Amino acid sequence: MARRSLLFSPGDRPELMRKAPESGADTVCFDLEDAVAPSQRAAARESVREVLADPAFDPDCEVTVRVSVDAAADLDALLDGAPDSMRLDGVMVPKVAEPEDVQWVADLLDEHDVDPALLALVETARGVLRAEDIADARATDALVFGAEDLAADVGATRTDEGTEVLHARQQVVLAASAAGIDAIDTVFTDFEDETGLRETTEFALQLGYDGKMAIHPAQVGVINDAFTPSPERVEWAERVLDARDEAEREGRAVFSVDGEMIDAPLIAQAERVLERAAAGEKR
């Protein structure tokens, strides 16, 4: 399953939650944390539960919930006595600082006899420093990088260039790659700046990220386009894999495509290109 785009939707806005899948996002995330005032959290839990439990709500995207710091209360409200029609594909855990933070939520889910994917949101200095261990944790399905909270945590000043969080951004994608799990990049907060969004999304792709978070439906198309390979790139990948198969049949370890010697890293790139292309076709 591809996670090119992850769109947040406020947990206290059921009409927006129901419309979120129409954006074309690969993943929608109903937010019980930052998007909801603490005084409204109880009502938001009920709204999220109502949408997730509605048999008519069955989109062809991944459906997740970002829990708050009071994850136990959130999950109890969502899952206690939940009907079989409850749709919950994943849970995002905020401010993950160590592997035990993810395991704690996994244990809470076990108590409810459910096993959704767990997305670990790394957005603190300690979380970045422990990113490798968090990614390696058995319960972790993806690392998500949160630049805004990280900058606040370390006292950094956010800039358009993002150099103040670049090291952390690279650390998270490296940890995810080493563990063989998805890496999802931080939000771009100016949802009216399409050019800026496209540039930062293309840079995230260059860094090795698998997808990017969105805070507005208008951002989803730009993000999906950036993470969907061009036809030319797909044709290159197909030629590489066809040449690999032919070389294997002939017992050759070395082969070339378009005058370029192909090795294992390029084969891995070609496989990823076709995976992303297939994801784009499904959506």
Side-chain angles (χ1 to χ4, degrees):
M1 173 179 50
R3 293 186 175 111
R4 298 168 301 169
S5 51
L6 184 154
L7 175 65
F8 283 109
S9 188
D12 57 353
R13 298 288 301 277
E15 73 282 5
L16 295 183
M17 288 188 282
R18 291 181 182 277
K19 290 178 60 177
E22 299 174 9
S23 67
D26 291 331
T27 300
V28 295
C29 186
F30 300 157
D31 194 4
L32 290 174
E33 196 208 17
D34 289 347
V36 177
S39 62
Q40 298 301 311
R41 191 156 289 140
R45 291 167 180 154
E46 290 303 314
S47 294
V48 172
R49 178 188 170 101
E50 179 182 350
V51 174
L52 295 180
D54 184 353
F57 182 75
D58 188 26
D60 62 349
C61 63
E62 183 180 41
V63 179
T64 66
V65 172
R66 176 163 68 171
V67 294
S68 68
V69 293
D70 196 359
D74 293 339
L75 295 175
D76 284 346
L78 294 179
L79 299 173
D80 279 354
D84 292 339
S85 60
M86 172 72 74
R87 176 70 182 273
L88 182 61
D89 304 320
V91 172
M92 183 181 293
V93 186
K95 295 181 175 57
V96 176
E98 53 192 357
E100 290 77 11
D101 294 339
V102 184
Q103 189 57 51
W104 175 62
V105 175
D107 292 342
L108 292 174
L109 291 165
D110 284 344
E111 293 175 5
H112 292 281
D113 198 25
V114 294
D115 186 29
L118 288 182
L119 288 66
L121 183 49
V122 177
E123 51 186 342
T124 65
R126 182 170 294 278
V128 171
L129 293 175
R130 296 293 307 277
E132 183 176 355
D133 294 331
I134 294 167
D136 283 337
R138 178 184 58 83
T140 305
D141 289 277
L143 287 190
V144 185
F145 176 53
E148 305 306 320
D149 281 77
L150 174 65
D153 187 46
V154 302
T157 300
R158 292 292 275 129
T159 65
D160 291 339
E161 296 77 16
T163 52
E164 68 283 354
V165 295
L166 180 56
H167 170 77
R169 199 176 182 188
Q170 292 173 307
Q171 179 78 3
V172 169
V173 74
L174 284 170
S177 180
I181 62 176
D182 285 343
I184 304 173
D185 191 38
T186 190
V187 299
F188 184 74
T189 56
D190 188 352
F191 60 84
E192 295 183 342
D193 183 2
E194 182 175 319
T195 299
L197 173 63
R198 181 175 293 106
E199 290 175 350
T200 191
T201 304
E202 290 174 350
F203 184 59
L205 177 63
Q206 292 172 8
L207 289 177
Y209 276 91
D210 299 288
K212 189 172 181 66
M213 295 187 289
I215 59 172
H216 192 281
Q219 296 181 315
V220 171
V222 174
I223 293 171
N224 282 350
D225 285 347
F227 282 100
T228 300
S230 67
E232 294 78 16
R233 187 66 171 162
V234 171
E235 290 174 2
W236 168 84
E238 291 173 339
R239 290 198 299 273
V240 167
L241 297 186
D242 287 345
R244 175 204 59 187
D245 294 342
E246 181 178 354
E248 289 178 351
R249 287 192 296 268
E250 297 176 355
R252 291 185 289 111
V254 178
F255 62 96
S256 66
V257 173
D258 301 334
E260 179 182 26
M261 297 303 299
I262 303 299
D263 56 8
L266 287 177
I267 292 172
Q269 285 185 31
E271 291 173 339
R272 174 166 284 192
V273 166
L274 294 187
E275 288 173 0
R276 286 176 170 164
E281 292 174 357
K282 290 179 182 178
R283 293 296 292 155

